[in-house]
Amino acid sequence: MSESAEPAVDATDEEVDPDPDATGEAGAATAAAIPENGAAAVVAALESAGVETAFGVQGGAIMPVYDALYGSSIDHVTMAHEQGAAHAADAYGVVTGTPGVCLATSGPGATNLVTGIADASMDSDAMLALTGQVPSDMVGSDAFQETDTTGVTAPITKHNYFASDSTTVGDVVGEAFALSETGRPGPTLVDLPKDVSFGETDRAPKPPEPPARSKPDPEADPESVDAAARTIARAEKPLCLFGGGVIKGNATDEARAFAREHGIPVVTTMPGIGSFPEDDDLCLSWAGMHGTGYANMAISHTDCLIAVGTRFDDRLTGGVETFAPGADVVHVDIDPAEISKNVQADYPVVGDAGTVLDQIDAALDRSPDAGEWREQCTTWRDQYPMDYAVDPDEPVKPQFVVEAYDAATDDDAIVTTGVGQHQMWAAQYWTYTEPRTFVSSHGLGTMGYGLPGAIGARLAADDDRDVVCFDGDGSFLMTIQELSVAVRENLDVTVVVLNNEYIGMVRQWQDAFFEGRHMASEYDWMPEFDKLAEAFGARGFRVDEYDEVADVVAESLAYDGPSVVDVHVDPRENVYPMVSSGGANGEFALTEDQL
Amino acid sequence: MAGPRPDERPQPTARRNAQGIKVDPDAGAEHRRRTAVISALVEHEPGVLSRVSGLFSRRQFNIESLTVGPTTVEGHARITLVVEETDPGIDQAKKQLLKLTPVIAVGELESDAVRAELVLLKVRGTEPDKVHAITEMYEGRTLDAGPRTITVQITGDERKIDDAVDAFRQFGIIEIARTGQTALERGDSPTTPGEEPGHSAGGSATDEPTDDETTTDESTPNYDD
Ligand SMILES: Cc1ncc(C[n+]2csc(CCOP(=O)(O)OP(=O)(O)O)c2C)c(N)n1
C-alpha cells in the first residue's frame, strides 16, 4: 500500500507552493475556490453542498481525497470499520434531513460499505458514498485492492458514477449529492480512480444540481387529487397510513394537519414512526408484523386507506390477499414506480407528500363522517392493549427498560436500534412524537446498525438531545468496535443492551416454527458488555434486577460520554403481537399458542 | 388481553389477488402474460446496458430479447426489450426502467409497430440449390458459401424468422445467431414519448415509412460489401 502512495508526493510537489486556499476554510461559500487536483475538486464540491461531517476509513486509493480534506472545513470522523461509516452517514442523514457522506478506499473498503449502502437504499435514505479506485489504466486488471465498485453497487444505489476526468469530477460529486436527496431519496456513489483524484484541474465545481430528468414535479395532477378527495369524503372508515416518505418528504406538519382536520385515525408504518404523535387520540401506532393489534384491526377493516409515502413492504402487509381488502386505496407517492407495485392503488396520486396532502385537503369539500369508526378504533385499542407482566422476583422485562428510558428523556430524544426483538420493543414501548427520532434499519434489517447509527445521530443532533441506542447482544457484537470512535470523539450516547444471551428473534421463530430447536441461536458466550465498555474507555453499567433500573437509567443518561448498559433481561420474553409472515393483519397473535 | 382470539375476531370477507388487486367476485379475471415490446431511449454511456439488464434480472422480469444501438441523436442509444409479463408486470418494468438515471424515455410499442429481427444460419452445404431456393423464398441473402457450409441471413418479424429456421432444418443447421427484435413505432408517432430526431449524417432521417408490408424486409442496405 505504501508504494502506491508514492506518486502522490510527486504529483503534488511539482505544483506551486502548498497554498491551503484551494481547499479553503470558508465552508459552504467556497464554490468558487480554485482546486488544484481532482481530489480538491471533490472536497470543494462537498463544501459547496454544505457538507459539515463525513465518516470514513483511510486507504491507498482514497488517500488523495483525504489529503484534500486536510485543510477543509469538513469534520471527518474516522470509523473503526467502513460498515460503521455507512451506517453513521445514513443515520446522520436521517436526523439532519440532508445526505450523510461516507468515504472508503477501493476493494475491501468499498465492499465493507456495501451493507450500509444497501440499508440506505431499502430505507430511501439520502447518502453519498465516495470510494477510491485503482488508477484508470489498471482498472480491469485485477489490480491490488480492485473491485468493480460501480458494478457491485449498481443494484443498491439510486445511481452511481465512475469518475473519469479530473476537470469534471467535482461536478459529478455535486450532482451525486444533489441526486441523492432529490425526489425519493436514496444512496448515490462516486467511484474515484486515483489518477483522477491526482489529476490537475483548476476548475471550480459547478453548484450541486441533480440531472434535470430526476427532478419530479411536487404537484399531483388535479384530476387524480379530485378523484382521491371524492373517495375520502364519502368514506365511512377512513384510515391514514403514513410511511417513511412522510418523514423523508418533510411532510409531518401537513400530515398531522390533514388527519386532525378531517378526524381520520392514523396508523404508521415502522419507518413512518414519528410522523404522527403516538400520544394523540387519533394515533393507533404502527401496523405490520409486530405492530399494535389495534393498528392491524384498523388496516383490516378500513374502507378507504390513505397511504402516503409507503412502499407496502411485506412486513407491513402480511399476505397482500388480506391486506386492507375492502379498502379503496389512495396511494400518494413521489415515486410512480411504487404505485401498484405491491398493492393496487385505486387512486394513485403522484407527487410530494406535503404538497399533495395540501392539494387533497383543498379539494375536500367535507370531512368523511367517521365518528362511529373512531369509536370502533378506540374499542380495539382497549381490547388489544400493549402490555406485559412485571414480576419483581423475575428477570427484568425488556419492555420495562424501554419505558424507563422513555420516561427519563424528552420528546426530542433519538432512539437507534440494532435488529431483532429489542428493535421491536424499542419501536413498541417508546412513545414517539417527533419525526426523525426513531432511527433504525427497516427494509434491510441489518444487525449492527444501532451503535454506528447512534454515532451518526449524535453528530447530527444538538447537544441537548439524548441519543439512546437499544441493542441486542448479537447486534451489538457485530459493530461493537465503533465504541472506540464514540470514546475518541467523546460522544454522549447511551447504548442499552437488552441482553438475553440469545439471538432472540431467531429463537422466537425457532420456538414458534421449528419446534424449539435452538440451532445456533444461543449466545451464552457473550462478553460482559459493561466491562468491555470500560476496556474501550466508555462507562459500563450492569442491570440484573428491577430495583436497579431507575438509578442506572438516570446515571447512564447523566454521564457525559459514551456509556453501555448491559441489562440482563428475561431470556424467554418474546415479541407480541405478531402477524405470522404472509398472514392476515387482523389475525395477529397475542401469545405463541395463537400463532 | 380482553380481546377475542384471532379466529373469533371479526374478519373482512373481501380479498385481493396475489398482485394486490381487489378481487371482483363477479369478474375475478386473472392476469395473463402477454408479450410487450418496450423501447427505452438512453444516454449512450458505459454501463447503461448492464444497468438495464441488471434491473431486469434483479426484479425477475421475464425478458425475451434485448437489442441496443445508437439513434440519430448523438450520445443517445435505443434499447429494445421484448418482455413477457402480466399487465401489472409490464407497467412495473416500464416504471422501473424510467427510474434509471441514464434512461431518457420509455415507450411501449403498439401492436402494429414495425418490428424486425436478423438471423444468421449456417447449414450444411450438400444441397446448395435447395438452400438457395429457400433463402430466396424468405427474401434472404447468402453471405458465405463453401463446399461444406452455407451461411445465410434472413431478416423479418419474429414469425417469419421462426418459419425460416424451420424451413432450413432439413439441411441440418450447424449454428444459429439471432439478434432479437428491434422495433420502431409506425408513422408520425415517436417510439418513446417526446422523442425527437437529431441531425444525423444521413440527412432526412425522418422519412416516413410507407404502409407497405415489405418495408422491414427491404431495409437491409448495409450488408452489401
Ligand atoms: C447482519 C444480519 N445477520 C443476520 C440477521 C438475522 N437476524 C435477524 S434478528 C436476529 C437476532 C438478533 O439478535 P440480537 O441482536 O441479540 O437481538 P434480540 O433479538 O435478542 O433482541 C438475527 C440473527 C440479520 N437481521 N442481520
Side-chain angles (χ1 to χ4, degrees):
Chain A
M1 247 189 300
S2 51
E3 78 278 3
S4 56
E6 226 69 82
V9 184
D10 294 350
T12 39
D13 259 10
E14 65 183 61
E15 266 304 311
V16 277
D17 58 348
D19 179 9
D21 255 19
T23 45
E25 259 142 59
T30 54
I34 308 298
E36 289 170 348
N37 61 16
V42 168
V43 172
L46 296 178
E47 287 173 344
S48 102
V51 174
E52 291 173 5
T53 309
F55 305 86
V57 178
Q58 261 279 26
I62 196 75
M63 281 179 72
V65 177
Y66 271 86
D67 189 54
L69 279 168
Y70 193 72
S72 159
S73 61
I74 294 169
D75 181 22
H76 177 268
V77 182
T78 300
M79 301 296 287
H81 186 293
E82 288 86 353
Q83 183 186 353
H87 291 326
D90 174 320
Y92 182 93
V94 172
V95 173
T96 59
T98 57
V101 176
C102 56
L103 297 106
T105 193
S106 63
T111 56
N112 274 352
L113 285 182
V114 165
T115 302
I117 297 172
D119 192 289
S121 174
M122 290 289 273
D123 289 348
S124 305
D125 291 340
M127 181 170 113
L128 170 64
L130 300 174
T131 49
Q133 184 54 276
V134 301
S136 309
D137 59 0
M138 295 175 80
V139 166
S141 70
D142 298 330
F144 178 63
Q145 296 196 327
E146 183 189 353
T147 292
D148 173 11
T149 304
T150 51
V152 168
T153 59
I156 52 167
T157 48
K158 190 169 167 184
H159 186 53
N160 63 24
Y161 301 78
F162 184 88
S164 55
D165 183 348
S166 308
T167 52
T168 55
V169 66
D171 302 346
V172 169
V173 168
E175 179 178 307
F177 183 93
L179 177 61
S180 157
E181 63 177 340
T182 302
R184 178 182 182 170
T188 55
L189 179 144
V190 184
D191 204 26
L192 302 160
K194 201 167 179 180
D195 56 314
V196 172
S197 295
F198 270 140
E200 284 179 32
T201 177
D202 55 5
R203 238 197 70 217
K206 289 191 258 183
E209 259 294 309
R213 279 195 309 276
S214 310
K215 271 189 272 188
D217 188 352
E219 274 190 35
D221 95 90
E223 270 177 44
S224 67
V225 168
D226 286 345
R230 278 195 300 273
T231 307
I232 294 168
R234 61 165 189 263
E236 288 169 8
K237 306 174 194 171
L239 183 68
C240 287
L241 173 67
F242 293 151
V246 171
I247 296 172
K248 307 272 143 75
N250 295 317
T252 45
D253 287 347
E254 291 87 346
R256 291 169 183 210
F258 180 84
R260 285 173 176 152
E261 160 85 17
H262 301 291
I264 302 175
V266 176
V267 158
T268 74
T269 67
M270 210 173 89
I273 285 175
S275 57
F276 199 82
E278 294 186 328
D279 55 5
D280 190 299
D281 280 346
L282 279 175
C283 193
L284 303 169
S285 294
W286 51 284
M289 183 173 278
H290 291 299
T292 63
Y294 32 100
N296 282 319
M297 287 303 278
I299 285 265
S300 299
H301 292 274
T302 173
D303 65 356
C304 177
L305 186 68
I306 306 150
V308 188
T310 171
R311 59 188 179 84
F312 294 108
D313 180 79
D314 55 274
R315 281 293 186 274
L316 167 75
T317 62
V320 284
E321 292 87 350
T322 47
F323 179 76
D328 285 327
V329 175
V330 174
H331 190 182
V332 178
D333 209 289
I334 192 81
D335 180 357
E338 283 309 324
I339 303 291
S340 301
K341 188 183 80 178
N342 295 335
V343 170
Q344 200 203 12
D346 303 292
Y347 299 91
V349 198
V350 176
D352 166 70
T355 311
V356 170
L357 282 169
D358 282 347
Q359 282 181 282
I360 296 179
D361 181 55
L364 266 177
D365 41 19
R366 65 179 178 90
S367 297
D369 187 3
E372 232 174 276
W373 168 242
R374 281 192 298 270
E375 269 171 47
Q376 173 62 264
C377 291
T378 306
T379 309
W380 283 326
R381 201 202 304 256
D382 296 339
Q383 276 182 319
Y384 307 105
M386 294 298 293
D387 62 9
Y388 56 94
V390 170
D391 180 340
D393 298 328
E394 294 272 301
V396 177
K397 294 284 186 195
Q399 300 95 322
F400 183 86
V401 180
V402 172
E403 286 186 328
Y405 274 97
D406 186 18
T409 52
D410 295 337
D411 277 357
D412 63 1
I414 297 170
V415 170
T416 74
T417 74
V419 167
Q421 293 182 312
H422 62 280
Q423 175 189 31
M424 295 302 134
W425 289 316
Q428 290 175 332
Y429 286 92
W430 187 286
T431 305
Y432 298 90
T433 57
E434 298 305 323
R436 304 183 187 281
T437 56
F438 180 62
V439 184
S440 192
S441 170
H442 303 279
L444 198 66
T446 310
M447 288 169 73
Y449 182 88
L451 175 57
I455 291 173
R458 173 75 282 162
L459 286 159
D462 290 341
D463 288 349
D464 55 355
R465 298 175 70 178
D466 283 310
V467 175
V468 179
C469 165
F470 287 105
D471 228 333
D473 40 339
S475 290
F476 187 39
L477 208 58
M478 286 209 176
T479 51
I480 197 167
Q481 67 275 22
E482 304 302 341
L483 258 187
S484 62
V485 177
V487 170
R488 188 194 67 224
E489 305 280 325
N490 193 33
L491 300 179
D492 188 9
V493 296
T494 309
V495 180
V496 183
V497 185
L498 301 177
N499 187 348
N500 52 11
E501 298 195 1
Y502 277 104
I503 49 169
M505 189 58 97
V506 170
R507 201 234 30 242
Q508 173 165 351
W509 282 53
Q510 287 169 334
D511 285 343
F513 310 116
F514 294 87
E515 290 153 22
R517 292 187 292 272
H518 293 168
M519 177 65 197
S521 62
E522 263 171 71
Y523 276 31
D524 50 9
W525 37 265
M526 278 292 153
E528 292 183 61
F529 289 116
D530 52 332
K531 292 187 182 157
L532 200 54
E534 301 278 349
F536 272 104
R539 270 299 296 277
F541 299 90
R542 180 182 168 119
V543 171
D544 293 283
E545 313 277 341
Y546 275 109
D547 57 14
E548 297 163 346
V549 173
D551 283 352
V552 170
V553 166
E555 270 186 71
S556 61
L557 289 173
Y559 179 68
D560 182 20
S563 56
V564 175
V565 186
D566 189 4
V567 191
H568 288 254
V569 297
D570 186 345
R572 291 154 307 173
E573 190 64 11
N574 281 339
V575 183
Y576 288 98
M578 177 172 185
V579 178
S580 58
S581 46
N585 289 65
E587 289 177 32
F588 54 86
L590 294 165
T591 53
E592 191 179 314
D593 65 353
Q594 289 187 356
L595 273 173
Chain B
M1 296 184 191
R5 297 174 49 88
D7 46 353
E8 291 156 5
R9 284 175 213 148
Q11 299 298 347
T13 49
R15 281 290 178 273
R16 294 178 185 276
N17 67 14
Q19 276 88 41
I21 299 169
K22 264 190 288 180
V23 179
D24 176 349
D26 303 325
E30 281 291 303
H31 283 283
R32 303 249 315 275
R33 281 179 189 274
R34 66 177 175 91
T35 300
V37 181
I38 298 173
S39 188
L41 195 64
V42 303
E43 310 272 5
H44 201 176
E45 61 186 35
V48 63
L49 186 57
S50 82
R51 279 176 213 274
V52 168
S53 59
L55 169 73
F56 274 70
S57 65
R58 178 163 61 95
R59 294 200 179 264
Q60 301 279 295
F61 294 128
N62 213 339
I63 186 166
E64 306 242 292
S65 76
L66 182 160
T67 61
V68 214
T71 72
T72 57
V73 179
E74 173 114 10
H76 286 186
R78 181 187 313 286
I79 298 184
T80 308
L81 296 132
V82 181
V83 295
E84 207 198 273
E85 276 292 332
T86 59
D87 277 330
I90 291 164
D91 204 39
Q92 185 59 211
K94 289 190 283 187
K95 287 173 175 173
Q96 291 292 345
L97 261 177
L98 202 53
K99 273 177 74 168
L100 296 177
T101 303
V103 174
I104 301 160
V106 174
E108 181 184 344
L109 279 77
E110 303 285 340
S111 56
D112 70 344
V114 180
R115 310 194 207 174
E117 183 175 356
L118 182 149
V119 65
L120 300 182
L121 284 154
K122 190 188 286 179
V123 298
R124 301 213 180 282
T126 39
E127 293 171 290
D129 292 350
K130 275 172 109 181
V131 170
H132 187 68
I134 302 277
T135 308
E136 293 269 277
M137 200 171 113
Y138 286 96
E139 296 151 302
R141 175 180 311 244
T142 304
L143 300 181
D144 179 47
R148 302 168 69 87
T149 66
I150 300 170
T151 304
V152 302
Q153 160 198 307
I154 314 282
T155 55
D157 62 20
E158 196 182 13
R159 173 85 185 272
K160 178 178 162 190
I161 303 273
D162 287 344
D163 288 351
V165 171
D166 272 347
F168 278 103
R169 271 189 224 289
Q170 53 179 304
F171 309 115
I173 298 175
I174 304 166
E175 283 177 338
I176 240 180
R178 283 176 80 148
T179 59
Q181 286 187 55
T182 190
L184 288 179
E185 205 61 270
R186 247 172 226 283
D188 270 339
S189 8
T191 296
T192 65
E195 182 172 355
E196 281 175 23
H199 305 288
S200 77
S204 55
T206 51
D207 274 355
E208 234 183 86
T210 60
D211 269 321
D212 181 352
E213 272 304 330
T214 59
T215 308
T216 54
D217 300 329
E218 283 169 5
S219 60
T220 53
N222 294 328
Y223 293 90
D224 279 330
D225 43 1

